[in-house]
Amino acid sequence: MQGIWTTERIRAAEDRLLAVTPDGELMRRAAFGLGVHAADMLAEHTGSVSGRRVTLLVGSGNNGGDALWAGAFLRRRNVAVSAILLKPERAHGPGLAALKRSGGKVVSLEDGPQWIRRADLVVDGIVGISARGPLRPDAAALLEHVSSPVLAVDLPSGVDPDTGAVDGPAVVADRTVTFGALKPVHALAPASCGEVSLVDIGLRLTDPDLQRLDTADVAAAWPMPGPDDDKYSQGVVGVAAGSATYPGAAVLAAGAAVRATSGLVRYAGHAADVVRGQWPEIIATGSVTDAGRVQAWVVGPGIGTGNEGRDVLRFVLGRGVPVCADADATTIIARSPDVLDARDPDTPLVLTPHAGEFERLMGSPPGADRVAAARSAARKYDAVVLLKGHCTVVAAPDGRALVNTPRGSWLATAGSGDVLSGLVGALLASGLDPWLAAGAAAHVHSLAGSLAADGAPTSASGILAAVPDAIRSVRPPTS
Ligand SMILES: NC(=O)C1=CN([C@@H]2O[C@H](COP(=O)(O)OP(=O)(O)OC[C@H]3O[C@@H](n4cnc5c(N)ncnc54)[C@H](O)[C@@H]3O)[C@@H](O)[C@H]2O)[C@H](O)CC1
Ligand SMILES: [K+]
């Protein structure tokens, strides 16, 4: 898993490292890596480095210092470097001196726009991990003139470093070069960061505040049949979803469970005939009380929020096996929390709210800090909470949190959540840790969305059809 640390943790680690490192050494390490990436971007976008023009946007802190030192390094490659100082009197002294010594230019804020317009690359050294609030007006005004590729120093200015929230003018970078460790913004604001590269400056951190699954984690977690397996041994999942009026949610959720693993899938509900017709391998019955033994339940998509839906949810919660409560089940829990009394406290529960369902559960929307929001819901309901959004956040009651950085916005389509709930349920039935099950399901769901879309809008059926290829992309067939 990729570790992600808050700016507070990173600053503390930097301070410890600064105490044992020669003055300015850390910054030069960071800036050298930044300079290499800047040259790489020039070559990529213009075909050459020497003779190209780079304009630095320089704030009043060390973020600006990184940019100035990187400019000095670029001068060695015969790049024409000009620096716009947002606060000339507070610009990083040694960095500014280094740039001047190397032949870099300092231009006034007033002349800044023309130097931005003629640049082959703009380097955003306005503000880094000490950013507070939206971008200040003088900095925001400069962004209007940017037409070249943008390289963000540490993080794109104007984006909250710890939440990834953007609530005003902000840099949109083609590439972000960060130093020492990933910050939450790098996983939570992919549209602002562009491609994220990490430069090692010797920072060593443990016990991350946030994590991101990498392919190897998902591959290791995903259950695959072995020589000693049979249809039961990989976990049987029950799906209580849909209705005679709305069978689609049942078909999608149950179908996703079929595609997720090789375990047996049982369906229970009024859409049994339609589900049986679409998925002959599913054992379908009209009622959860007739469904037989399962190792996990998915409940909610399309069951309705009336008494019958509540009875189905109460029954499923009382079975003593992990439950993924999605869609209508989330609304029932929000309206009638006493339904959770049917749940044995040791029974793992995964809630999968989107923002609206979250508001019903918690009484207010997730807000800017979606990791904190998911954690608060996880504590309140003693459940794993998979908070859907452009970036899905999965929080566990014990405080663990992971984020899934999306590949585009292809999942924003009707029925996509039904597919996700089926994937979660199948992984729960396989015995996976519920937090990891939700995270791995979200990872494969996101992959399936981008594979199904392949650059054009897709639908839940397309996402469902792409699940096997998404699994193959993390677990290439061995035989
Ligand atoms: N510690 C090190 O040696 C290393 C630091 N690195 C770089 O340093 C920055 C963090 O630097 P810091 O001086 O703490 O602050 P910033 O440069 O991020 O910004 C401070 C500066 O910016 C102004 N400011 C704050 N909020 C805004 C805003 N919303 N809009 C505009 N301006 C804003 C404020 O006036 C402050 O003075 C870190 O990100 C790295 O880039 C390296 O990592 C190497 C090691
Ligand atoms: K920046």
Side-chain angles (χ1 to χ4, degrees):
M1 289 197 193
Q2 281 181 320
I4 298 168
W5 285 266
T6 62
T7 55
E8 183 184 0
R9 295 281 307 282
I10 288 186
R11 201 177 283 108
E14 265 180 4
D15 289 347
R16 289 194 297 275
L17 187 56
L18 282 169
V20 296
T21 311
D23 195 27
E25 170 64 23
L26 276 194
M27 184 168 283
R28 283 192 294 280
R29 283 181 203 166
F32 189 80
L34 180 64
V36 169
H37 278 279
D40 179 58
M41 286 181 77
L42 283 172
E44 179 187 336
H45 292 283
T46 70
S48 66
V49 177
S50 174
R52 290 298 174 184
R53 290 186 290 242
V54 169
T55 295
L56 312 174
L57 309 182
V58 178
S60 49
N62 289 331
N63 196 248
D66 289 343
L68 289 165
W69 273 106
F73 292 132
L74 284 168
R75 285 292 304 138
R76 297 177 187 171
R77 306 276 305 263
N78 190 36
V79 174
V81 179
S82 53
I84 304 168
L85 309 181
L86 284 161
K87 293 271 185 299
E89 72 286 357
R90 290 180 53 204
H92 189 269
L96 185 55
L99 181 71
K100 288 178 176 173
R101 276 197 309 274
S102 71
K105 278 172 73 70
V106 176
V107 300
S108 69
L109 201 51
E110 294 69 30
D111 291 344
Q114 60 179 299
W115 291 91
I116 292 171
R117 286 193 292 269
R118 69 174 65 162
D120 295 307
L121 177 69
V122 167
V123 175
D124 160 30
I126 299 169
V127 62
I129 59 174
S130 295
R132 292 293 170 267
L135 213 48
R136 291 173 191 166
D138 54 353
L142 290 176
L143 299 186
E144 292 162 21
H145 302 279
V146 175
S147 58
S148 73
V150 174
L151 171 58
V153 180
D154 208 10
L155 51 98
S157 302
V159 186
D160 187 295
D162 283 317
T163 67
V166 180
D167 55 7
V171 166
V172 176
D174 299 272
R175 187 179 306 185
T176 292
V177 174
T178 188
F179 315 111
L182 291 181
K183 291 86 181 175
V185 59
H186 300 126
L188 291 163
S192 300
C193 293
E195 179 192 339
V196 177
S197 297
L198 176 62
V199 172
D200 183 359
I201 57 172
L203 223 48
R204 294 292 172 261
L205 287 126
T206 58
D207 189 25
D209 300 292
L210 189 58
Q211 302 186 76
R212 184 163 60 178
L213 295 180
D214 53 34
T215 303
D217 298 308
V218 180
W222 209 273
M224 300 297 258
D228 304 325
D229 274 320
D230 59 34
K231 65 186 174 192
Y232 297 109
S233 62
Q234 298 158 83
V236 178
V237 60
V239 178
S243 63
T245 321
Y246 298 108
V251 170
L252 290 168
V258 167
R259 291 227 154 106
T261 74
S262 309
L264 173 66
V265 177
R266 296 185 191 275
Y267 168 77
H270 297 307
D273 291 342
V274 177
V275 168
R276 202 179 284 120
Q278 291 273 334
W279 303 102
E281 52 269 79
I282 289 180
I283 297 177
T285 175
S287 161
V288 284
T289 52
D290 303 335
R293 267 174 53 75
V294 299
Q295 279 73 53
W297 274 102
V298 176
V299 57
I303 64 169
T305 56
N307 292 339
E308 186 182 2
R310 193 176 56 231
D311 293 345
V312 167
L313 175 57
R314 183 177 284 115
F315 176 85
V316 159
L317 286 168
R319 295 306 96 205
V321 297
V323 173
C324 173
D326 179 48
D328 289 338
T330 311
T331 302
I332 294 168
I333 289 170
R335 287 184 187 158
S336 318
D338 61 299
V339 72
L340 292 174
D341 296 346
R343 170 193 171 201
D344 177 314
D346 295 334
T347 300
L349 174 62
V350 176
L351 299 174
T352 57
H354 53 55
E357 290 159 343
F358 180 94
E359 186 165 359
R360 285 180 217 137
L361 285 170
M362 298 299 283
S364 60
D369 190 343
R370 298 176 66 249
V371 176
R375 279 183 165 134
S376 65
R379 281 193 303 273
K380 177 179 178 182
Y381 287 93
D382 187 25
V384 167
V385 172
L386 182 155
L387 178 57
K388 294 173 193 168
H390 187 57
C391 290
T392 293
V393 176
V394 182
D398 62 9
R400 287 175 296 166
L402 68 81
V403 57
N404 179 62
T405 303
R407 297 152 184 86
S409 305
W410 309 114
L411 300 175
T413 182
S416 170
D418 304 334
V419 174
L420 176 60
S421 67
L423 297 177
V424 174
L427 295 187
L428 289 174
S430 76
L432 212 51
D433 167 280
W435 176 71
L436 192 52
H443 187 105
V444 162
H445 187 235
S446 175
L447 274 175
S450 61
L451 288 172
D454 190 19
T458 186
S459 68
S461 302
I463 296 167
L464 175 54
V467 165
D469 281 343
I471 296 170
R472 286 186 199 100
S473 73
V474 296
R475 272 195 69 116
T478 48
S479 53

